[in-house]
Amino acid sequence: MSLLPDPWWPVAVMAFIVIVDGFLTFWPPKVIADCLNGVGLPRDWWWVLAVVKFLAAAGLLAGFWIPGLGLAAIVGLIVYFLTAAGAHLRAGYVGRDFWLNCLGMLVLNILILVFCFLV
């Protein structure tokens, strides 16, 4: 187990993805708006998702220099996407958005945890 990511680049790519995703929460394309509406998240709460994503990205990036912070951030993202998967299942919104976006991001974050921090 490592407290600093090795290799570092998958963590950097995930930080970039999460930052972009955070901005897209403010100005969502139809597919993201449909997903958030599909799981029943009120529009007044969408900003919370952006804050969580920006904090996660900051943790991933700071984790290059602060041992353990990137590890905590990637675990936080896994919990975030597990919660999102639960919201999809609870709402019965299990189409393409669920399989590709939600579970895809969950799997990517688990792979980053395993190959950048645990192996």
Side-chain angles (χ1 to χ4, degrees):
M1 182 172 167
S2 174
L3 295 179
L4 293 172
D6 181 31
W8 63 270
W9 65 268
V11 176
V13 170
M14 184 54 64
F16 176 76
I17 291 169
V18 173
I19 288 169
V20 170
D21 195 22
F23 281 112
L24 288 176
T25 304
F26 289 116
W27 304 284
K30 184 177 179 345
V31 65
I32 292 175
D34 289 348
C35 182
L36 295 175
N37 287 323
V39 298
L41 185 66
R43 189 168 183 86
D44 293 346
W45 283 87
W46 290 9
W47 67 271
V48 174
L49 300 179
V51 170
V52 169
K53 292 170 187 176
F54 293 145
L55 289 172
L60 290 174
L61 295 174
F64 292 135
W65 297 279
I66 302 170
L69 191 57
L71 175 61
I74 206 74
V75 169
L77 281 170
I78 291 168
V79 171
Y80 173 86
F81 285 108
L82 282 171
T83 304
H88 278 262
L89 293 172
R90 179 184 50 83
Y93 192 76
V94 291
R96 182 192 59 86
D97 295 333
F98 172 68
W99 292 101
L100 182 62
N101 301 341
C102 184
L103 293 185
M105 288 296 287
L106 176 61
V107 168
L108 281 176
N109 281 285
I110 290 171
L111 290 172
I112 290 171
L113 171 66
V114 170
F115 290 108
C116 295
F117 292 98
L118 300 180
V119 174

